Amino acid sequence: MAANETIFHRIMRREIPADIVYEDEHLFAFRDIAPQAPVHVLFVPKVDIATMNDLQASQAEVVGRLVVAAAAYAKREGLAADGYRVVINCNDHGGQTVFQLHLHLLAGAPLGHFGVP
Ligand code: 5GP
Protein backbone atom coordinates (compact mmCIF):
# COMPACT_ATOMS: atom_id res chain seq x y z
CA MET A 1 0.00 0.00 0.00
CA ALA A 2 1.17 3.58 -0.66
CA ALA A 3 2.02 5.75 2.35
CA ASN A 4 -1.39 7.38 2.54
CA GLU A 5 -3.30 4.23 1.62
CA THR A 6 -5.95 2.97 4.01
CA ILE A 7 -8.48 0.17 4.01
CA PHE A 8 -11.02 2.72 2.76
CA HIS A 9 -9.03 3.26 -0.44
CA ARG A 10 -9.14 -0.49 -1.04
CA ILE A 11 -12.91 -0.53 -0.43
CA MET A 12 -13.34 2.31 -2.93
CA ARG A 13 -11.41 0.31 -5.54
CA ARG A 14 -13.53 -2.79 -4.73
CA GLU A 15 -10.41 -4.70 -3.71
CA ILE A 16 -12.11 -5.74 -0.47
CA PRO A 17 -15.84 -6.21 -0.09
CA ALA A 18 -18.11 -3.68 1.59
CA ASP A 19 -21.75 -2.74 1.38
CA ILE A 20 -21.38 0.46 -0.63
CA VAL A 21 -24.65 2.40 -0.41
CA TYR A 22 -23.71 5.56 -2.33
CA GLU A 23 -21.01 6.85 -4.67
CA ASP A 24 -20.44 9.90 -6.84
CA GLU A 25 -17.41 11.64 -8.31
CA HIS A 26 -16.46 13.19 -4.97
CA LEU A 27 -17.21 10.60 -2.29
CA PHE A 28 -18.50 7.15 -1.46
CA ALA A 29 -20.42 5.66 1.46
CA PHE A 30 -20.62 2.16 2.91
CA ARG A 31 -21.90 0.36 5.98
CA ASP A 32 -19.52 0.17 8.94
CA ILE A 33 -18.24 -3.35 9.59
CA ALA A 34 -18.78 -2.91 13.35
CA PRO A 35 -21.99 -0.85 13.60
CA GLN A 36 -22.47 1.28 16.69
CA ALA A 37 -26.17 1.88 15.91
CA PRO A 38 -28.82 0.09 13.82
CA VAL A 39 -27.73 2.29 10.90
CA HIS A 40 -24.00 3.11 10.73
CA VAL A 41 -22.71 4.39 7.40
CA LEU A 42 -19.31 5.96 6.66
CA PHE A 43 -19.00 8.80 4.13
CA VAL A 44 -15.50 9.12 2.69
CA PRO A 45 -14.13 11.73 0.28
CA LYS A 46 -12.14 10.55 -2.73
CA VAL A 47 -9.47 13.19 -2.13
CA ASP A 48 -6.75 12.06 0.29
CA ILE A 49 -7.06 13.83 3.65
CA ALA A 50 -5.77 11.85 6.64
CA THR A 51 -7.43 13.69 9.52
CA MET A 52 -9.54 16.76 10.18
CA ASN A 53 -6.28 18.50 11.20
CA ASP A 54 -5.11 18.19 7.60
CA LEU A 55 -8.20 19.86 6.13
CA GLN A 56 -7.37 23.15 4.39
CA ALA A 57 -9.77 26.11 4.30
CA SER A 58 -9.86 25.69 0.54
CA GLN A 59 -11.23 22.16 1.09
CA ALA A 60 -14.35 23.24 3.01
CA GLU A 61 -16.45 21.80 0.19
CA VAL A 62 -15.08 18.33 0.92
CA VAL A 63 -16.74 18.26 4.33
CA GLY A 64 -19.79 20.09 3.01
CA ARG A 65 -20.33 17.34 0.47
CA LEU A 66 -20.01 14.63 3.12
CA VAL A 67 -22.65 16.35 5.27
CA VAL A 68 -25.01 16.94 2.33
CA ALA A 69 -24.62 13.33 1.17
CA ALA A 70 -25.30 12.00 4.67
CA ALA A 71 -28.42 14.16 5.02
CA ALA A 72 -29.67 13.04 1.61
CA TYR A 73 -29.08 9.40 2.52
CA ALA A 74 -30.96 9.85 5.82
CA LYS A 75 -33.90 11.37 3.92
CA ARG A 76 -33.91 8.58 1.32
CA GLU A 77 -33.83 5.92 4.02
CA GLY A 78 -36.63 7.50 6.06
CA LEU A 79 -34.32 8.38 8.96
CA ALA A 80 -34.51 12.16 8.81
CA ALA A 81 -37.67 12.84 10.81
CA ASP A 82 -36.58 10.71 13.79
CA GLY A 83 -33.08 12.09 13.49
CA TYR A 84 -29.53 10.90 13.51
CA ARG A 85 -25.98 11.81 14.56
CA VAL A 86 -22.93 12.59 12.44
CA VAL A 87 -19.41 12.25 13.87
CA ILE A 88 -15.89 12.91 12.62
CA ASN A 89 -13.24 11.39 14.89
CA CYS A 90 -9.78 12.98 14.91
CA ASN A 91 -6.59 11.32 16.14
CA ASP A 92 -6.10 9.52 19.43
CA HIS A 93 -8.49 11.31 21.78
CA GLY A 94 -11.15 11.37 19.07
CA GLY A 95 -10.83 7.61 18.65
CA GLN A 96 -9.77 7.75 15.00
CA THR A 97 -8.53 4.39 13.73
CA VAL A 98 -8.57 4.82 9.95
CA PHE A 99 -6.51 7.77 8.73
CA GLN A 100 -8.58 8.84 5.76
CA LEU A 101 -11.09 11.55 6.70
CA HIS A 102 -14.61 10.15 7.09
CA LEU A 103 -17.95 11.04 8.57
CA HIS A 104 -20.01 8.55 10.55
CA LEU A 105 -23.80 8.60 10.16
CA LEU A 106 -25.50 6.90 13.12
CA ALA A 107 -29.25 6.37 13.20
CA GLY A 108 -32.10 3.97 13.70
CA ALA A 109 -32.61 4.30 17.47
CA PRO A 110 -32.38 6.96 20.18
CA LEU A 111 -28.64 7.54 20.59
CA GLY A 112 -28.64 9.22 23.96
CA HIS A 113 -26.19 11.91 24.88
CA PHE A 114 -22.41 11.67 24.41
CA GLY A 115 -19.20 12.50 26.22
CA VAL A 116 -16.39 10.83 28.13
CA PRO A 117 -17.50 7.26 29.01
P1 5GP B 1 -12.74 5.83 13.07
O1 5GP B 1 -12.54 5.05 14.36
O2 5GP B 1 -11.42 6.00 12.32
O3 5GP B 1 -13.49 7.11 13.24
O4 5GP B 1 -13.71 4.94 12.19
C1 5GP B 1 -13.24 3.88 11.42
C2 5GP B 1 -14.42 2.97 11.20
O5 5GP B 1 -14.12 2.12 10.12
C3 5GP B 1 -14.75 2.09 12.41
O6 5GP B 1 -16.06 2.37 12.86
C4 5GP B 1 -14.59 0.67 11.86
O7 5GP B 1 -15.55 -0.23 12.36
C5 5GP B 1 -14.71 0.87 10.36
N1 5GP B 1 -13.97 -0.10 9.59
C6 5GP B 1 -12.66 -0.46 9.77
N2 5GP B 1 -12.30 -1.37 8.86
C7 5GP B 1 -13.40 -1.59 8.08
C8 5GP B 1 -13.63 -2.46 6.95
O8 5GP B 1 -12.77 -3.20 6.48
N3 5GP B 1 -14.88 -2.41 6.41
C9 5GP B 1 -15.86 -1.59 6.89
N4 5GP B 1 -17.05 -1.62 6.28
N5 5GP B 1 -15.67 -0.78 7.95
C10 5GP B 1 -14.44 -0.79 8.53
Side-chain angles (χ1 to χ4, degrees):
M1 286 204 296
N4 59 0
E5 275 268 301
T6 68
I7 197 131
F8 292 174
H9 294 84
R10 301 190 66 196
I11 289 172
M12 182 177 68
R13 294 197 303 265
R14 274 66 174 179
E15 289 173 8
I16 57 172
D19 187 2
I20 296 177
V21 297
Y22 178 77
E23 183 165 22
D24 63 26
E25 62 183 310
H26 301 293
L27 63 98
F28 64 109
F30 54 95
R31 292 187 199 285
D32 198 293
I33 203 168
Q36 302 299 307
V39 177
H40 188 171
V41 176
L42 304 175
F43 291 78
V44 184
K46 291 186 175 177
V47 60
D48 288 347
I49 301 171
T51 81
M52 214 162 124
N53 290 335
D54 301 299
L55 190 66
Q56 306 300 307
S58 61
Q59 295 173 309
E61 269 193 358
V62 173
V63 174
R65 288 193 187 102
L66 296 183
V67 172
V68 168
Y73 178 83
K75 284 179 196 150
R76 277 198 308 279
E77 295 297 313
L79 303 163
D82 283 338
Y84 49 85
R85 176 174 295 155
V86 295
V87 174
I88 297 175
N89 296 324
C90 182
N91 278 345
D92 189 27
H93 283 194
Q96 185 174 8
T97 57
V98 177
F99 290 86
Q100 166 67 0
L101 184 72
H102 54 280
L103 177 149
H104 297 252
L105 171 69
L106 301 150
L111 298 168
H113 204 52
F114 56 87
V116 177

Short mmCIF file of all heavy atoms in Angstrom, two decimals, residues 7-8 11 16-20 30-36 40 42 50 87-91 94-104 106, ligand 1:
data_model
loop_
_atom_site.label_atom_id
_atom_site.label_comp_id
_atom_site.label_asym_id
_atom_site.label_seq_id
_atom_site.Cartn_x
_atom_site.Cartn_y
_atom_site.Cartn_z
N ILE A 7 -7.51 1.19 4.40
CA ILE A 7 -8.48 0.17 4.01
C ILE A 7 -9.63 0.80 3.22
O ILE A 7 -10.23 0.15 2.36
CB ILE A 7 -8.96 -0.57 5.27
CG1 ILE A 7 -9.65 -1.87 4.90
CG2 ILE A 7 -9.87 0.27 6.13
CD1 ILE A 7 -9.15 -3.03 5.67
N PHE A 8 -9.91 2.07 3.48
CA PHE A 8 -11.02 2.72 2.76
C PHE A 8 -10.68 2.91 1.28
O PHE A 8 -11.57 2.81 0.42
CB PHE A 8 -11.36 4.07 3.40
CG PHE A 8 -11.98 3.96 4.78
CD1 PHE A 8 -12.21 5.11 5.53
CD2 PHE A 8 -12.32 2.74 5.33
CE1 PHE A 8 -12.78 5.03 6.79
CE2 PHE A 8 -12.87 2.64 6.61
CZ PHE A 8 -13.10 3.80 7.34
N ILE A 11 -11.45 -0.35 -0.27
CA ILE A 11 -12.91 -0.53 -0.43
C ILE A 11 -13.39 0.25 -1.64
O ILE A 11 -14.17 -0.26 -2.45
CB ILE A 11 -13.64 -0.10 0.86
CG1 ILE A 11 -13.38 -1.11 1.99
CG2 ILE A 11 -15.14 0.09 0.61
CD1 ILE A 11 -13.88 -0.70 3.35
N ILE A 16 -11.54 -4.95 -1.57
CA ILE A 16 -12.11 -5.74 -0.47
C ILE A 16 -13.59 -5.42 -0.41
O ILE A 16 -14.01 -4.29 -0.71
CB ILE A 16 -11.40 -5.49 0.88
CG1 ILE A 16 -11.43 -4.02 1.26
CG2 ILE A 16 -9.98 -5.98 0.85
CD1 ILE A 16 -10.91 -3.80 2.66
N PRO A 17 -14.39 -6.39 -0.02
CA PRO A 17 -15.84 -6.21 -0.09
C PRO A 17 -16.37 -5.27 0.99
O PRO A 17 -15.83 -5.22 2.11
CB PRO A 17 -16.39 -7.63 0.11
CG PRO A 17 -15.29 -8.39 0.76
CD PRO A 17 -14.00 -7.75 0.39
N ALA A 18 -17.39 -4.53 0.63
CA ALA A 18 -18.11 -3.68 1.59
C ALA A 18 -19.48 -3.41 0.98
O ALA A 18 -19.67 -3.52 -0.23
CB ALA A 18 -17.36 -2.38 1.84
N ASP A 19 -20.40 -3.05 1.84
CA ASP A 19 -21.75 -2.74 1.38
C ASP A 19 -21.79 -1.25 1.04
O ASP A 19 -22.11 -0.42 1.89
CB ASP A 19 -22.75 -3.12 2.48
CG ASP A 19 -24.19 -2.98 2.01
OD1 ASP A 19 -24.40 -2.63 0.82
OD2 ASP A 19 -25.10 -3.24 2.82
N ILE A 20 -21.43 -0.94 -0.19
CA ILE A 20 -21.38 0.46 -0.63
C ILE A 20 -22.80 0.91 -0.96
O ILE A 20 -23.48 0.31 -1.80
CB ILE A 20 -20.44 0.61 -1.84
CG1 ILE A 20 -19.01 0.26 -1.42
CG2 ILE A 20 -20.50 2.05 -2.40
CD1 ILE A 20 -17.98 0.30 -2.53
N PHE A 30 -20.41 3.61 2.72
CA PHE A 30 -20.62 2.16 2.91
C PHE A 30 -20.91 1.88 4.38
O PHE A 30 -20.59 2.68 5.27
CB PHE A 30 -19.39 1.36 2.46
CG PHE A 30 -18.10 1.81 3.09
CD1 PHE A 30 -17.62 1.17 4.23
CD2 PHE A 30 -17.38 2.87 2.58
CE1 PHE A 30 -16.44 1.58 4.84
CE2 PHE A 30 -16.19 3.30 3.18
CZ PHE A 30 -15.73 2.66 4.30
N ARG A 31 -21.54 0.73 4.61
CA ARG A 31 -21.90 0.36 5.98
C ARG A 31 -20.66 -0.01 6.79
O ARG A 31 -19.78 -0.72 6.31
CB ARG A 31 -22.87 -0.83 5.98
CG ARG A 31 -24.21 -0.47 5.41
CD ARG A 31 -25.21 -1.60 5.56
NE ARG A 31 -26.30 -1.39 4.64
CZ ARG A 31 -27.27 -0.49 4.81
NH1 ARG A 31 -27.28 0.26 5.90
NH2 ARG A 31 -28.22 -0.33 3.92
N ASP A 32 -20.62 0.49 8.03
CA ASP A 32 -19.52 0.17 8.94
C ASP A 32 -19.54 -1.33 9.28
O ASP A 32 -20.58 -1.92 9.51
CB ASP A 32 -19.63 1.01 10.22
CG ASP A 32 -18.34 1.07 10.99
OD1 ASP A 32 -17.90 0.01 11.51
OD2 ASP A 32 -17.74 2.15 11.07
N ILE A 33 -18.36 -1.91 9.32
CA ILE A 33 -18.24 -3.35 9.59
C ILE A 33 -18.58 -3.69 11.05
O ILE A 33 -18.94 -4.82 11.36
CB ILE A 33 -16.81 -3.84 9.24
CG1 ILE A 33 -16.79 -5.33 8.97
CG2 ILE A 33 -15.80 -3.43 10.31
CD1 ILE A 33 -15.49 -5.81 8.35
N ALA A 34 -18.49 -2.70 11.93
CA ALA A 34 -18.78 -2.91 13.35
C ALA A 34 -19.77 -1.83 13.80
O ALA A 34 -19.39 -0.88 14.52
CB ALA A 34 -17.50 -2.85 14.18
N PRO A 35 -21.03 -1.95 13.39
CA PRO A 35 -21.99 -0.85 13.60
C PRO A 35 -22.21 -0.51 15.07
O PRO A 35 -22.36 -1.41 15.90
CB PRO A 35 -23.26 -1.36 12.92
CG PRO A 35 -23.08 -2.83 12.74
CD PRO A 35 -21.62 -3.08 12.68
N GLN A 36 -22.24 0.78 15.33
CA GLN A 36 -22.47 1.28 16.69
C GLN A 36 -23.91 1.76 16.87
O GLN A 36 -24.26 2.32 17.92
CB GLN A 36 -21.50 2.44 16.99
CG GLN A 36 -20.04 2.05 16.87
CD GLN A 36 -19.65 0.94 17.84
OE1 GLN A 36 -19.90 1.03 19.04
NE2 GLN A 36 -19.07 -0.14 17.32
N HIS A 40 -25.33 2.52 10.54
CA HIS A 40 -24.00 3.11 10.73
C HIS A 40 -23.30 3.10 9.38
O HIS A 40 -22.84 2.04 8.92
CB HIS A 40 -23.21 2.33 11.78
CG HIS A 40 -21.92 2.99 12.16
ND1 HIS A 40 -21.14 2.53 13.22
CD2 HIS A 40 -21.24 4.06 11.66
CE1 HIS A 40 -20.06 3.28 13.32
NE2 HIS A 40 -20.09 4.21 12.38
N LEU A 42 -20.48 5.09 6.73
CA LEU A 42 -19.31 5.96 6.66
C LEU A 42 -19.29 6.67 5.32
O LEU A 42 -19.45 6.02 4.27
CB LEU A 42 -18.03 5.13 6.82
CG LEU A 42 -17.94 4.28 8.09
CD1 LEU A 42 -16.68 3.43 8.06
CD2 LEU A 42 -17.97 5.16 9.33
N ALA A 50 -5.92 12.86 5.59
CA ALA A 50 -5.77 11.85 6.64
C ALA A 50 -6.67 12.12 7.84
O ALA A 50 -7.34 11.21 8.35
CB ALA A 50 -4.32 11.76 7.07
N VAL A 87 -20.63 12.16 13.05
CA VAL A 87 -19.41 12.25 13.87
C VAL A 87 -18.19 12.20 12.96
O VAL A 87 -18.17 11.40 12.02
CB VAL A 87 -19.34 11.07 14.87
CG1 VAL A 87 -18.02 11.06 15.63
CG2 VAL A 87 -20.51 11.10 15.85
N ILE A 88 -17.21 13.05 13.24
CA ILE A 88 -15.89 12.91 12.62
C ILE A 88 -14.88 12.76 13.76
O ILE A 88 -14.73 13.69 14.58
CB ILE A 88 -15.52 14.13 11.74
CG1 ILE A 88 -16.49 14.26 10.56
CG2 ILE A 88 -14.07 14.00 11.24
CD1 ILE A 88 -16.27 15.50 9.71
N ASN A 89 -14.25 11.61 13.86
CA ASN A 89 -13.24 11.39 14.89
C ASN A 89 -11.89 11.89 14.39
O ASN A 89 -11.56 11.72 13.21
CB ASN A 89 -13.14 9.90 15.21
CG ASN A 89 -14.42 9.35 15.83
OD1 ASN A 89 -15.09 10.04 16.59
ND2 ASN A 89 -14.76 8.12 15.49
N CYS A 90 -11.11 12.48 15.29
CA CYS A 90 -9.78 12.98 14.91
C CYS A 90 -8.73 12.51 15.91
O CYS A 90 -8.83 12.81 17.11
CB CYS A 90 -9.79 14.51 14.83
SG CYS A 90 -8.19 15.18 14.33
N ASN A 91 -7.78 11.75 15.38
CA ASN A 91 -6.59 11.32 16.14
C ASN A 91 -6.95 10.54 17.41
O ASN A 91 -8.06 10.03 17.54
CB ASN A 91 -5.68 12.52 16.43
CG ASN A 91 -4.78 12.84 15.23
OD1 ASN A 91 -4.66 12.03 14.32
ND2 ASN A 91 -4.18 14.02 15.23
N GLY A 94 -9.89 11.48 19.81
CA GLY A 94 -11.15 11.37 19.07
C GLY A 94 -11.51 9.93 18.74
O GLY A 94 -12.62 9.66 18.28
N GLY A 95 -10.55 9.02 18.93
CA GLY A 95 -10.83 7.61 18.65
C GLY A 95 -10.68 7.24 17.19
O GLY A 95 -11.19 6.20 16.75
N GLN A 96 -9.94 8.06 16.43
CA GLN A 96 -9.77 7.75 15.00
C GLN A 96 -8.87 6.53 14.82
O GLN A 96 -7.80 6.44 15.43
CB GLN A 96 -9.17 8.95 14.26
CG GLN A 96 -9.08 8.75 12.76
CD GLN A 96 -8.63 10.00 12.02
OE1 GLN A 96 -8.23 10.99 12.63
NE2 GLN A 96 -8.68 9.95 10.70
N THR A 97 -9.32 5.60 13.99
CA THR A 97 -8.53 4.39 13.73
C THR A 97 -8.15 4.23 12.27
O THR A 97 -7.22 3.49 11.96
CB THR A 97 -9.31 3.13 14.18
OG1 THR A 97 -10.57 3.09 13.50
CG2 THR A 97 -9.55 3.13 15.69
N VAL A 98 -8.89 4.87 11.38
CA VAL A 98 -8.57 4.82 9.95
C VAL A 98 -8.24 6.25 9.50
O VAL A 98 -9.06 7.16 9.64
CB VAL A 98 -9.74 4.25 9.12
CG1 VAL A 98 -9.39 4.28 7.64
CG2 VAL A 98 -10.06 2.82 9.57
N PHE A 99 -7.02 6.42 8.97
CA PHE A 99 -6.51 7.77 8.73
C PHE A 99 -6.75 8.23 7.29
O PHE A 99 -5.84 8.60 6.55
CB PHE A 99 -5.04 7.86 9.20
CG PHE A 99 -5.01 7.81 10.71
CD1 PHE A 99 -5.00 6.59 11.38
CD2 PHE A 99 -5.11 8.97 11.47
CE1 PHE A 99 -5.05 6.53 12.76
CE2 PHE A 99 -5.16 8.92 12.85
CZ PHE A 99 -5.13 7.70 13.50
N GLN A 100 -8.01 8.18 6.94
CA GLN A 100 -8.58 8.84 5.76
C GLN A 100 -9.86 9.49 6.28
O GLN A 100 -10.74 8.79 6.83
CB GLN A 100 -8.86 7.84 4.64
CG GLN A 100 -9.76 8.37 3.52
CD GLN A 100 -9.14 9.49 2.69
OE1 GLN A 100 -8.01 9.91 2.91
NE2 GLN A 100 -9.90 10.01 1.75
N LEU A 101 -9.95 10.82 6.16
CA LEU A 101 -11.09 11.55 6.70
C LEU A 101 -12.41 10.85 6.37
O LEU A 101 -12.60 10.42 5.23
CB LEU A 101 -11.11 12.97 6.10
CG LEU A 101 -12.18 13.91 6.63
CD1 LEU A 101 -11.88 14.36 8.04
CD2 LEU A 101 -12.33 15.13 5.71
N HIS A 102 -13.29 10.75 7.34
CA HIS A 102 -14.61 10.15 7.09
C HIS A 102 -15.60 10.64 8.12
O HIS A 102 -15.24 11.02 9.23
CB HIS A 102 -14.54 8.62 7.10
CG HIS A 102 -13.93 8.05 8.34
ND1 HIS A 102 -12.56 8.01 8.54
CD2 HIS A 102 -14.49 7.52 9.45
CE1 HIS A 102 -12.31 7.45 9.72
NE2 HIS A 102 -13.46 7.16 10.30
N LEU A 103 -16.85 10.61 7.71
CA LEU A 103 -17.95 11.04 8.57
C LEU A 103 -18.82 9.83 8.87
O LEU A 103 -19.20 9.08 7.96
CB LEU A 103 -18.75 12.13 7.82
CG LEU A 103 -20.01 12.72 8.45
CD1 LEU A 103 -20.16 14.17 8.00
CD2 LEU A 103 -21.24 11.93 8.04
N HIS A 104 -19.12 9.62 10.14
CA HIS A 104 -20.01 8.55 10.55
C HIS A 104 -21.45 9.07 10.57
O HIS A 104 -21.70 10.14 11.17
CB HIS A 104 -19.70 8.08 11.98
CG HIS A 104 -18.33 7.49 12.18
ND1 HIS A 104 -18.12 6.15 12.39
CD2 HIS A 104 -17.10 8.07 12.24
CE1 HIS A 104 -16.84 5.92 12.56
NE2 HIS A 104 -16.19 7.07 12.48
N LEU A 106 -24.93 7.87 12.18
CA LEU A 106 -25.50 6.90 13.12
C LEU A 106 -26.98 7.19 13.26
O LEU A 106 -27.38 8.35 13.46
CB LEU A 106 -24.81 7.02 14.48
CG LEU A 106 -23.30 6.79 14.45
CD1 LEU A 106 -22.60 7.58 15.53
CD2 LEU A 106 -23.01 5.31 14.60
P1 5GP B 1 -12.74 5.83 13.07
O1 5GP B 1 -12.54 5.05 14.36
O2 5GP B 1 -11.42 6.00 12.32
O3 5GP B 1 -13.49 7.11 13.24
O4 5GP B 1 -13.71 4.94 12.19
C1 5GP B 1 -13.24 3.88 11.42
C2 5GP B 1 -14.42 2.97 11.20
O5 5GP B 1 -14.12 2.12 10.12
C3 5GP B 1 -14.75 2.09 12.41
O6 5GP B 1 -16.06 2.37 12.86
C4 5GP B 1 -14.59 0.67 11.86
O7 5GP B 1 -15.55 -0.23 12.36
C5 5GP B 1 -14.71 0.87 10.36
N1 5GP B 1 -13.97 -0.10 9.59
C6 5GP B 1 -12.66 -0.46 9.77
N2 5GP B 1 -12.30 -1.37 8.86
C7 5GP B 1 -13.40 -1.59 8.08
C8 5GP B 1 -13.63 -2.46 6.95
O8 5GP B 1 -12.77 -3.20 6.48
N3 5GP B 1 -14.88 -2.41 6.41
C9 5GP B 1 -15.86 -1.59 6.89
N4 5GP B 1 -17.05 -1.62 6.28
N5 5GP B 1 -15.67 -0.78 7.95
C10 5GP B 1 -14.44 -0.79 8.53
#
